[in-house]
C-alpha cells in the first residue's frame, strides 16, 4: 500500500494512527496525555493565555496554539475541536477558530524577537 492510499484511508493503513470516523488518515500521530499536560502547564505558568484551534489536515491532526499575553506560544496536537473547546472551558481560557480570527500580532512579534535573539 502506498502513501496516498494511506492518506485516503484505504485498506492496510496502520490501525489507530491518524484515523478518524471518516476513515481519512494523516501522516501525524494523534494527541497524547503528554500533550494535554504540556498545555495545562503552559496555562498555569503564564498569564492572559488564549487558545487558537487549527483544523485537521491531510498532514497533521487537529492542533491548538496557546498564546500568552506576552506573545509566547506553544502548539500541541489535540483530539479534535470539541476536545480543544472542552479543555479551554476547563482551563478558563478563551478559544478561537484560527481559520476565522487568525493569530494575534503579539504572537508574531514574540517569534520575531526569538529569531533576533538566536542571531
Amino acid at each position: 500500500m502506498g502513501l496516498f492510499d494511506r492518506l485516503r484511508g484505504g485498506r492496510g493503513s496502520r490501525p489507530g494512527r491518524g484515523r478518524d470516523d471518516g476513515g481519512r488518515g494523516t501522516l501525524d500521530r494523534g494527541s497524547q496525555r503528554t500533550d494535554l499536560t504540556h498545555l495545562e502547564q503552559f496555562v498555569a505558568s503564564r498569564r492572559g493565555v488564549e487558545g487558537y484551534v487549527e483544523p485537521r489536515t491531510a498532514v497533521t491532526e487537529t492542533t491548538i496554539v496557546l498564546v500568552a499575553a506576552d506573545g509566547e506560544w506553544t502548539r500541541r496536537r489535540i483530539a479534535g475541536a470539541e476536545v480543544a473547546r472542552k479543555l479551554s472551558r476547563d482551563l478558563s481560557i478563551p478559544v478561537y477558530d484560527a481559520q476565522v480570527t487568525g493569530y494575534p500580532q503579539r504572537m508574531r512579534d514574540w517569534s520575531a524577537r526569538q529569531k533576533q535573539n538566536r542571531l
Side-chain angles (χ1 to χ4, degrees):
M1 166 160 299
L3 171 66
F4 294 109
D5 292 328
R6 270 191 230 139
L7 290 175
R8 285 190 295 266
R11 288 180 314 140
S13 62
R14 290 185 271 180
R17 179 174 164 93
R19 303 276 303 198
D20 67 356
D21 295 335
R24 192 176 110 204
T26 67
L27 299 175
D28 199 13
R29 71 168 172 81
S31 69
Q32 298 175 349
R33 180 65 202 155
T34 55
D35 295 319
L36 292 176
T37 300
H38 173 79
L39 296 170
E40 291 165 351
Q41 290 173 349
F42 187 88
V43 170
S45 62
R46 288 152 183 91
R47 65 178 188 80
V49 177
E50 298 175 329
Y52 295 84
V53 179
E54 300 173 316
R56 183 176 194 278
T57 68
V59 179
T60 59
E61 294 296 328
T62 302
T63 54
I64 187 168
V65 177
L66 297 182
V67 183
D70 66 354
E72 182 180 2
W73 60 274
T74 189
R75 174 183 286 120
R76 290 293 184 273
R77 293 164 187 87
I78 195 121
E82 288 307 312
V83 173
R85 292 181 204 324
K86 181 183 180 325
L87 178 67
S88 71
R89 281 191 304 272
D90 293 347
L91 298 175
S92 299
I93 63 170
V95 66
Y96 307 100
D97 183 340
Q99 283 187 306
V100 174
T101 64
Y103 301 98
Q105 183 63 45
R106 68 182 184 278
M107 179 181 168
R108 291 186 288 279
D109 294 342
W110 185 87
S111 293
R113 285 192 306 273
Q114 298 308 303
K115 187 176 182 179
Q116 284 293 340
N117 291 339
R118 286 192 299 259
L119 298 178

